[in-house]
Structure formats: structure tokens, C-alpha cells
Amino acid sequence: WIFKGVYQEENKAQFQKCRKCQYYIQMHKNTGISSNLSSDVAIITCEGSINNDKTRALDQVWTTIKKNGKYKVLMDLSNVSNIYSCGLGELIKIHKEAQANKGILVIIGAKGTVSVIFTNTKLTHLLHLAPDQNSAVAIFNELKKKELAAIEAAKPKPVQPPVPKEKEWIPCWVYWKGKNPNNA
């Protein structure tokens, strides 16, 4: 069923039949994608190969994260062996939606084939990649500093009232230039 292009729209009926098959259910029982929303940063952990089915699961996880208003996302790919183009598209989508909501997507643990895929597709220039959690924390802290600086810059500065200058008195003969009009 893979060779016939089951994921294409015209083969949707065949794909629905396959999803009911016990073999398919056993092979796709565990998506290998989990998330943790308990902190300020949402953590997504992926395992195995990010193929079409796991991309759908990742999209559902991302939808849940968005509903909870979390746009700072840490994605752990340390246990991912391969990533398909649909998975790359999902990562770009998550990155763009997070940035649009003043958040960030940081990917940690990309190694081996996944690292080569990011390098070859030049996604290393677009996505924030970190080797470990400590580096990712540094990226999040830098983002927080920028947010605080932007908030501080947006605050109106208190306006100091102008200091009144001491009035300078000049002698009357200088003011009238030696003339005395109307006996002033």
C-alpha cells in the first residue's frame, strides 16, 4: 500500500481501510511523540522516524500546545533516526507560528542523519538548533532578556519639567540704550 501512494488524496479510501488493519494498528500504536506543558516552555519529545503518521501526531500535539497558549517550544530530537519532508514542513510551520506569537522553537539533540538533513536543506539557518538542554536554556534566557528590553523600551520615559532659568536682569540704561522714553 505504500508503493501505490496510499497517502495521496485519490487513494484516501485505501488508506482508511489500512488504518483499520490490525497490522497497521500494531505498527503505529505508539506515535513516539509526547509533550509536557507543565512549565513556561512546552517540551516535545520525538522518537524513531518522523514520517507521515508521526507528522500528523506532531501536528495534533502542536495544536494542543497552541490552545494552551505556549509558544516557547523545546523539541527533543535526540532519539529521532530520520525525518521525512513532511516532518520538516511541520517543523517550519511550528517555527513560523511560534515566531508570529513572539515565541521560539529550539531543537535539541539533532544528530546523525537528522543533523545532515538539517544541514543539507539549510534549515540550520532558519531553525534554532542546540546540542543540549543547557544551550537551549541559554537561548530561552536570551529571548527573555530581549523581551524585557523591549518592554522597558516601550515604557514611556518620565518627562522632567524644564528647570526655570534665573531671570537675568540688565540695567535700565542698557535696556533703553541710554534714552529715557516717556520718563520711564
Side-chain angles (χ1 to χ4, degrees):
W1 56 271
I2 293 174
F3 298 114
K4 292 182 180 179
V6 73
Y7 292 108
Q8 296 174 359
E9 189 62 34
E10 60 267 8
N11 296 328
K12 191 173 185 178
Q14 178 64 36
F15 181 59
Q16 294 303 327
K17 288 179 188 175
C18 289
R19 292 191 88 168
K20 294 176 185 173
C21 172
Q22 288 300 317
Y23 174 76
Y24 182 91
I25 292 170
Q26 285 296 328
M27 292 301 291
H28 297 91
K29 172 171 56 174
N30 183 5
T31 61
I33 296 175
S34 62
S35 65
N36 181 357
L37 300 173
S38 62
S39 67
D40 183 34
V41 176
I43 300 172
I44 302 174
T45 306
C46 301
E47 295 177 355
S49 180
I50 300 179
N51 54 19
N52 293 328
D53 291 327
K54 289 189 181 178
T55 300
R56 284 190 203 98
L58 183 59
D59 188 48
Q60 290 173 354
V61 167
W62 175 239
T63 302
T64 304
I65 291 171
K66 285 191 304 185
K67 284 180 184 175
N68 289 311
K70 307 268 183 166
Y71 291 100
K72 293 178 184 172
V73 181
L74 176 69
M75 185 173 292
D76 185 4
L77 298 182
S78 58
N79 293 326
V80 173
S81 58
N82 193 6
I83 185 166
Y84 291 34
S85 60
C86 55
L88 294 175
E90 187 67 26
L91 291 179
I92 293 169
K93 176 184 146 189
I94 292 170
H95 168 75
K96 288 189 173 227
E97 288 179 1
Q99 268 191 334
N101 291 291
K102 298 180 181 168
I104 189 171
L105 168 67
V106 178
I107 298 172
I108 64 167
K111 59 186 178 220
T113 305
V114 176
S115 178
V116 170
I117 290 171
F118 283 143
T119 304
N120 289 344
T121 57
K122 306 230 185 296
L123 286 176
T124 53
H125 301 295
L126 176 68
L127 301 174
H128 299 279
L129 300 173
D132 56 12
Q133 277 191 331
N134 293 335
S135 302
V137 168
I139 293 172
F140 285 119
N141 288 338
E142 187 65 32
L143 177 68
K144 192 170 223 166
K145 285 179 187 175
K146 287 180 183 178
E147 286 176 357
L148 292 174
I151 291 171
E152 193 65 34
K155 286 183 181 177
K157 303 279 188 240
V159 178
Q160 296 290 335
V163 177
K165 288 187 355 184
E166 241 182 77
K167 204 166 194 179
E168 185 179 317
W169 296 97
I170 58 171
C172 63
W173 59 85
V174 173
Y175 180 77
W176 296 108
K177 296 181 184 164
K179 299 179 184 166
N180 191 355
N182 300 328
N183 286 333

